[in-house]
Amino acid sequence: MTDLKSMLPKEIEEYLVNIGEKPFRAKQIFRWISSGEREIDNMTDLSVALREKLKADCFITEAKIVSKLVSKIDGTVKYLFELADGEKIETVFMRYKYGNTVCVSTQAGCRMGCTFCASPLNGFRRNLTPAEILEQIMAAMRDTGERVKGVVLMGIGEPLDNYDNVLRFLELVHHPDGLNISHRHISLSTCGLVDKIDRLADEHLQITLSVSLHAPNDDIRRATMPVARKYPYETLIDACKRYTEKTSRRISFEYALISGVNDSDENAHQLGRTLSGMLCHVNLIPVNEVKERGYKKSTRQQVARFTEILNSYKINTTVRRKLGGDINASCGQLRAEHREE
Ligand code: SAH
């Protein structure tokens, strides 16, 4: 079966030519799909004969809402979607002043195994297709009836562990005949797959790269992030430097503050020395206390202290504002709960 939603207009064109149809129909089909249409029968500007041919050979990926939580605090919406094969994924719709942003998952489950994160709790199932990543945005738009300005690849899964599908998604999502979402409003977060960061640098995209650092040195990083055993701390920092040199884009480092693990003054100084002079930004996040994990978030005073120390190294630092605090809006939590039920 042909996955229409994963195809770029030029690929739909080739496909149409192969089945003896006119190539200009591709643009019509792409626009229908981008409008969120899921039924080939509803593509009324295509001939009935073409619609029948498409129906026999193609499908349009759909994400069905299994559950939905709406935050009473800030209107954040968290979805649990079901895919065609029954896999469940999470997506979060957030309302910011500059526009709505959707946080998408890139895999069903995750194989990175970070010790503070809820995503790996159910194990790794499979990569998502480009259409399944795109459809999370479309499904959220259909449900809320609102437009989406930005996308963050910060849901379940490691985007760079599903490299080709994620790259194709990035191409689809900013297509002018499609959702037309600017790469400048897209952030991709990685736990630090060094070879893939280098590959991404060569694509010269205008997206923002976020790196989940969460530690000031190799020992602490290895204790919480198994990926650090494969890619040591220094090799990751070097890859980030190469990335900023090649793309001239500022990297955003994510740092979840865990009480007694990575939040001491000394940890802040070490991080400050490491990042000093880099084209970067540090985003501090008091760790989300996932019940299976047992970590405690840093105190408010320690978060302020950490920020102050980083600032003394002239490192641009912000503390992440938490959205959807009443609906467990953070990664993996909903999927993990669904399994328990
Ligand atoms: N696999 C990618 C994409 C996930 S993004 C990555 O690791 O970057 C989700 C972000 O939330 C990552 O920065 C992740 O490290 C962070 N995160 C996971 N669990 C968390 C928790 N309990 N508290 C705070 N941040 C967490």
Side-chain angles (χ1 to χ4, degrees):
M1 291 288 269
T2 301
D3 173 5
L4 280 179
K5 196 174 273 184
S6 283
M7 290 161 85
L8 288 155
K10 61 174 187 282
E11 293 163 334
I12 303 178
E13 221 174 271
E14 282 164 25
Y15 167 75
L16 289 172
V17 170
N18 277 334
I19 60 166
E21 293 286 338
K22 297 275 185 297
F24 72 86
R25 299 273 174 217
K27 192 165 177 157
Q28 285 166 284
I29 295 172
F30 188 72
R31 284 193 171 157
W32 276 117
I33 289 172
S34 303
S35 76
E37 184 54 64
R38 288 150 292 158
E39 295 294 337
I40 290 166
D41 270 333
N42 292 342
M43 301 183 178
T44 46
D45 54 0
L46 305 179
S47 71
V48 173
L50 174 55
R51 279 184 256 163
E52 290 303 323
K53 257 195 211 174
L54 293 177
K55 269 160 55 187
D57 186 43
C58 302
F59 66 96
I60 301 174
T61 295
E62 181 175 353
K64 297 212 165 85
I65 300 177
V66 179
S67 73
K68 172 181 159 184
L69 298 169
V70 184
S71 167
K72 292 194 178 69
I73 305 170
D74 49 44
T76 298
V77 189
K78 175 151 185 167
Y79 298 99
L80 186 71
F81 288 127
E82 186 174 72
L83 303 172
D85 64 352
E87 285 303 331
K88 308 229 175 20
I89 54 167
E90 285 179 34
T91 305
V92 185
F93 179 93
M94 294 168 289
R95 296 163 202 280
Y96 288 107
K97 268 195 214 91
Y98 64 83
N100 298 323
T101 296
V102 175
C103 175
V104 297
S105 293
T106 52
Q107 298 178 313
C110 187
R111 45 183 166 201
M112 297 299 122
C114 300
T115 60
F116 43 79
C117 182
S119 295
L121 290 172
N122 297 332
F124 176 76
R125 303 286 301 174
R126 66 172 175 83
N127 281 329
L128 299 188
T129 64
E132 286 168 337
I133 306 173
L134 196 63
E135 166 65 1
Q136 295 170 59
I137 305 168
M138 293 181 179
M141 287 170 73
R142 282 198 301 271
D143 182 61
T144 58
E146 293 181 44
R147 293 181 57 85
V148 168
K149 183 142 185 209
V151 178
V152 295
L153 288 84
M154 297 190 180
I156 294 175
E158 166 52 46
L160 298 187
D161 187 37
N162 184 13
Y163 192 90
D164 293 335
N165 288 351
V166 164
L167 263 276
R168 175 177 281 264
F169 158 76
L170 290 172
E171 206 173 332
L172 287 164
V173 76
H174 84 145
H175 197 287
D177 290 327
L179 293 184
N180 198 13
I181 295 174
S182 160
H183 277 178
R184 292 189 171 269
H185 298 143
I186 298 182
S187 293
L188 182 155
S189 183
T190 178
C191 65
L193 305 183
V194 166
D195 52 341
K196 301 288 171 42
I197 292 176
D198 279 323
R199 219 174 128 188
L200 191 65
D202 290 327
E203 317 269 359
H204 293 281
L205 303 177
Q206 295 297 305
I207 60 170
T208 298
L209 181 65
S210 279
V211 174
S212 301
L213 196 56
H214 304 320
N217 60 46
D218 209 32
D219 284 345
I220 295 179
R221 199 160 196 270
R222 277 166 186 253
T224 52
M225 301 182 72
V227 68
R229 287 177 216 148
K230 182 154 184 210
Y231 302 108
Y233 200 82
E234 293 71 30
T235 58
L236 173 59
I237 297 294
D238 287 345
C240 292
K241 288 182 179 157
R242 286 194 294 277
Y243 186 90
T244 55
E245 275 158 26
K246 274 194 186 158
T247 63
S248 309
R249 307 273 308 161
R250 181 172 85 160
I251 287 191
S252 177
F253 288 108
E254 307 292 308
Y255 197 106
L257 286 165
I258 312 174
S259 181
V261 173
N262 63 1
D263 71 339
S264 70
D265 288 9
E266 193 195 325
N267 296 156
H269 282 291
Q270 195 173 13
L271 184 65
R273 286 193 298 272
T274 305
L275 301 185
S276 167
M278 262 180 94
L279 183 61
C280 72
H281 171 103
V282 174
N283 211 343
L284 298 173
I285 314 137
V287 78
N288 224 305
E289 296 173 1
V290 176
K291 86 170 174 273
E292 291 87 346
R293 298 307 204 180
Y295 290 118
K296 288 272 163 264
K297 66 170 72 144
S298 307
T299 60
R300 206 180 279 247
Q301 295 89 306
Q302 197 50 32
V303 175
R305 178 97 188 110
F306 211 90
T307 310
E308 196 181 298
I309 295 172
L310 289 180
N311 284 337
S312 75
Y313 288 87
K314 306 230 172 345
I315 293 168
N316 190 312
T317 308
T318 49
V319 179
R320 160 97 50 93
R321 186 164 70 99
K322 186 170 174 169
L323 291 180
D326 54 336
I327 56 167
N328 264 349
S330 311
C331 353
Q333 297 186 357
L334 199 59
R335 186 167 174 267
E337 270 168 26
H338 196 82
R339 182 209 43 181
E340 280 168 19
E341 276 162 14

